[in-house]
Amino acid sequence: MTKRVPVVEKLLSANDRLAQENRARLDEAGVFAVNLMASPGAGKTSLIEQTLPRLTERLRVAVVDGDIATSIDADRAAQAGAVASVQINTGGECHLDAVMLHQALGQLDLGQIDLLLVENVGNLVCPATFALGTHKSVLIASVPEGDDKPYKYPGMYRGVDALVINKIDLLPYIPFDMDYFRRGVEALNPGLVTFPLSCKTGEGLDAWIEWLLHNLTPTTRPPDH
Ligand code: MG
Ligand code: ZN
C-alpha cells in the first residue's frame, strides 16, 4: 500500500522545523523578532520608517525586507536608522519562509541587534501559513483597502498577535465602517490588540511603540522598561 503525504504538508513541517531553529538562534542572541505582514501598499515600510527613529536611541534595530524584486525597502530602512538591513528577493515567491529568514540571519551580526523587524512580502494570503521563527506576528491593515478585509482574508487575521490599522488620516475621505471592520476582526481573533494610527501624521504611533517595547524578551528589554 502506498502511503501518501500531501506535498504541502511535507513542505510546511520542514518549514516549521527550520522556523524553530531560527527562533532558537534569535533567543540565544537575545534578539526579539517581529514578522510584519500586509497587502502591498498598506504601509509596512512606512511603519518601519516611523518606528526606527522612535527606538534607535534605546535599541539596536535591524530590518529584513522581503520583496519579489528590488532593494528599495531595505534601502529605506537603512536610511531610517536600522543598524543593518538585509533585502531578500524572493524571485517570484509571494511570501517569506523559514529558509529565507535563515539565510538572512546568516548575514546579520545577531549579537549587535536587539530588535529585528521582518517585512514580509506584500500579500494577504500565504505569509500567514509560513512560520518564520519570529516572536510576534503583526498584520498591518489600512483604511483605503476597505473595511471588508477581515471577512475576505480570515486566515491573515486569525493568526496574528497585533493589528495595526494604518492611514486613519484618510477616514474622513473614504467610506470605511470601523465598527464593521472591528466586528470582523473580533470574530476571528477575539481580544486582538489593535493600533489605529497614521504613519503620515504620526497619530497613534506611541501606543504601537509601547507595545513593541513591552513585548521585548527579558534579555533584550532595556533597563528602563
Ligand atoms: Mg514595503
Ligand atoms: Zn506565497
Side-chain angles (χ1 to χ4, degrees), residues 20-32 105 110-113 133 135 217 219-220:
Q20 278 168 19
E21 212 180 297
N22 289 343
R23 172 70 69 87
R25 209 158 146 195
L26 291 164
D27 284 343
E28 203 176 302
V31 179
F32 180 70
L105 294 182
L110 293 180
Q112 299 301 313
I113 297 166
H135 297 87
T217 49
T219 45
T220 61

Side-chain angles (χ1 to χ4, degrees), residues 26 31-34 36 48 51-52 55-56 59-65 74 77-78 81-86 104-105 107-110 112-119:
L26 291 164
V31 179
F32 180 70
V34 180
L36 298 170
I48 288 169
T51 301
L52 282 168
L55 290 177
T56 45
L59 298 170
R60 298 165 297 178
V61 188
V63 175
V64 169
D65 264 292
V83 292
S85 67
V86 176
L105 294 182
Q107 293 181 49
L108 291 167
D109 185 354
L110 293 180
Q112 299 301 313
I113 297 166
D114 303 308
L115 172 65
L116 179 65
L117 299 175
V118 180
E119 179 181 346

Side-chain angles (χ1 to χ4, degrees), residues 44-45 65 67 73 119:
K44 295 182 296 301
T45 310
D65 264 292
D67 269 303
D73 288 357
E119 179 181 346

Side-chain angles (χ1 to χ4, degrees), residues 80-188:
V83 292
S85 67
V86 176
Q87 182 76 49
I88 301 173
N89 283 141
T90 63
E93 281 289 344
C94 48
H95 57 266
L96 291 181
D97 62 25
V99 177
M100 297 179 205
L101 183 61
H102 193 260
Q103 287 167 351
L105 294 182
Q107 293 181 49
L108 291 167
D109 185 354
L110 293 180
Q112 299 301 313
I113 297 166
D114 303 308
L115 172 65
L116 179 65
L117 299 175
V118 180
E119 179 181 346
N120 216 309
V121 181
N123 179 348
L124 274 186
V125 186
C126 46
T129 320
F130 291 85
L132 303 179
T134 46
H135 297 87
K136 296 281 182 198
S137 293
V138 175
L139 177 61
I140 303 158
S142 68
V143 168
E145 286 170 67
D147 51 21
D148 58 356
K149 290 303 167 287
Y151 302 91
K152 287 189 165 178
Y153 300 95
M156 287 298 287
Y157 284 83
R158 232 178 241 129
V160 294
D161 303 299
L163 172 67
V164 168
I165 307 170
N166 190 22
K167 308 190 191 184
I168 56 167
D169 53 297
L170 296 178
L171 279 171
Y173 314 106
I174 290 173
F176 184 97
D177 183 340
M178 188 61 87
D179 289 336
Y180 176 67
F181 177 84
R182 282 181 180 279
R183 276 199 305 280
V185 174
E186 184 64 20
L188 296 164

